């Protein structure tokens, strides 16, 4: 069963706009991660936020974590056509296997 | 790119045939994960190895599936006999070098189609 569920399932925006994706999970976590998957490719790790962190930045990415609500959000600012991909959240109990959500398909129109 | 080579990238086979998928981390790793991705079920963990030993194989669908990791540089996932519902993309993933906090590096996947 999937631990994380992303929302929305699909998102279409114009280049330059911000994209926000949300993730909800069910059980306690050690960390939460976001991955990106281009069509036909493997997943690529974007950013990890620990359970004791509330916000983290990496370039145009901003991730928030609310453990009381068991939710996280990924914000991509000033989106580009090259950001078109599926984005997954994944939760991990430390160094063991990750559980992935169902993903958000992001389409950035040039 | 931590370097995970999966083969074959694409395989089309007929129901009942044996399928062997291979994963080769460029740098030897004692931990390795096999995931399966389908439209209906998303990404599912099949099995993971630590120190080349299977730690959790609860995600392996049934006895038709088996996985091995004979050394730190090679793993196989075998399906025998294959069925159309096994059609999916199978990913191998490894953790980065010591000091990591849990992220995984994925191969490009093996897309399996069982007719």
């Amino acid at each position: 069963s999937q631990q994380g569920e992303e929302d929305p399932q699909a998102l279409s925006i114009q280049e330059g706009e911000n994209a926000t994706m949300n993730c909800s999970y069910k059980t306690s976590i050690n960390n939460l991660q976001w991955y990106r998957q281009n069509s036909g490719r493997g997943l690529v790790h974007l950013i990890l936020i620990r359970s004791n962190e509330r916000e983290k930045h990496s370039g145009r990415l901003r991730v928030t974590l609310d453990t009381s609500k068991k939710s996280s959000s990924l914000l991509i600012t000033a989106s580009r056509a090259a950001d078109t991909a599926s984005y997954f959240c994944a939760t991990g109990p430390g160094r063991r296997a990750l559980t992935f959500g169902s993903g958000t398909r992001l389409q950035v129109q040039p | 790119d931590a370097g995970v080579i999966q083969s074959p990238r694409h395989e089309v086979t007929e129901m009942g045939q044996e399928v062997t998928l291979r994963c080769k981390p460029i740098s030897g790793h004692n931990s390795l994960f096999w995931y399966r991705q389908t439209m209906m079920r998303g990404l599912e963990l099949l099995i993971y190895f630590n120190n080349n030993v299977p730690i959790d194989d609860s995600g392996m669908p049934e006895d038709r599936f088996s996985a091995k990791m004979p050394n730190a540089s090679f793993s196989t996932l075998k399906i025998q006999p294959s069925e159309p519902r096994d059609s999916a993309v199978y990913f191998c993933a490894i953790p980065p070098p010591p000091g990591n906090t849990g992220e995984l590096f994925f191969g490009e996947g093996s897309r399996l189609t069982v007719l």
Side-chain angles (χ1 to χ4, degrees):
Chain A
S1 62
Q2 292 173 350
Q3 161 80 306
E5 294 295 332
E6 286 89 342
D7 169 56
Q9 289 187 334
L11 179 62
S12 181
I13 60 174
Q14 296 293 318
E15 209 165 24
E17 294 179 339
N18 295 342
T20 300
M21 289 159 268
N22 303 296
C23 168
S24 60
Y25 58 93
K26 299 175 183 175
T27 63
S28 61
I29 60 172
N30 180 281
N31 64 71
L32 186 142
Q33 305 175 35
W34 285 90
Y35 287 77
R36 164 193 169 129
Q37 184 180 33
N38 285 33
S39 181
R41 306 295 298 273
L43 282 78
V44 175
H45 178 261
L46 294 176
I47 192 168
L48 179 151
I49 186 167
R50 295 183 178 85
S51 59
N52 61 353
E53 297 176 311
R54 291 297 167 259
E55 187 170 313
K56 199 164 184 179
H57 297 252
S58 177
R60 292 184 297 113
L61 305 180
R62 182 173 79 98
V63 170
T64 62
L65 178 64
D66 187 335
T67 53
S68 66
K69 295 181 179 178
K70 291 187 167 56
S71 67
S72 173
S73 67
L74 171 67
L75 169 67
I76 304 175
T77 61
S79 63
R80 306 166 181 168
D83 294 329
T84 294
S86 291
Y87 292 82
F88 296 87
C89 67
T91 53
R95 290 173 179 265
R96 301 186 65 183
L98 296 175
T99 303
F100 286 83
S102 52
T104 292
R105 294 187 306 279
L106 174 65
Q107 176 76 41
V108 181
Q109 305 287 352
Chain B
D1 182 5
V4 181
I5 299 175
Q6 291 189 244
S7 62
R9 289 294 312 278
H10 302 273
E11 175 140 352
V12 180
T13 190
E14 293 188 346
M15 183 173 63
Q17 296 298 306
E18 178 179 295
V19 173
T20 299
L21 308 178
R22 297 172 178 81
C23 175
K24 182 176 172 57
I26 291 179
S27 300
H29 283 73
N30 290 327
S31 296
L32 186 144
F33 302 77
W34 281 99
Y35 283 87
R36 177 173 69 175
Q37 186 178 36
T38 62
M39 288 294 293
M40 292 297 295
R41 300 174 67 88
L43 271 157
E44 302 174 282
L45 174 70
L46 297 177
I47 186 171
Y48 82 93
F49 295 86
N50 192 35
N51 291 325
N52 307 334
V53 174
I55 300 301
D56 182 358
D57 64 355
S58 59
M60 296 286 263
E62 46 196 273
D63 292 345
R64 298 184 297 106
F65 284 67
S66 62
K68 294 181 181 179
M69 189 174 181
N71 57 63
S73 299
F74 187 66
S75 178
T76 59
L77 178 66
K78 185 175 292 186
I79 308 172
Q80 166 63 18
S82 59
E83 297 182 2
R85 59 185 167 140
D86 301 331
S87 297
V89 182
Y90 292 81
F91 289 101
C92 171
I94 57 172
N100 80 85
T101 52
E103 60 265 39
L104 293 178
F105 288 107
F106 282 77
E108 296 288 12
S110 293
R111 180 176 294 276
L112 173 65
T113 302
V114 183
L115 304 175

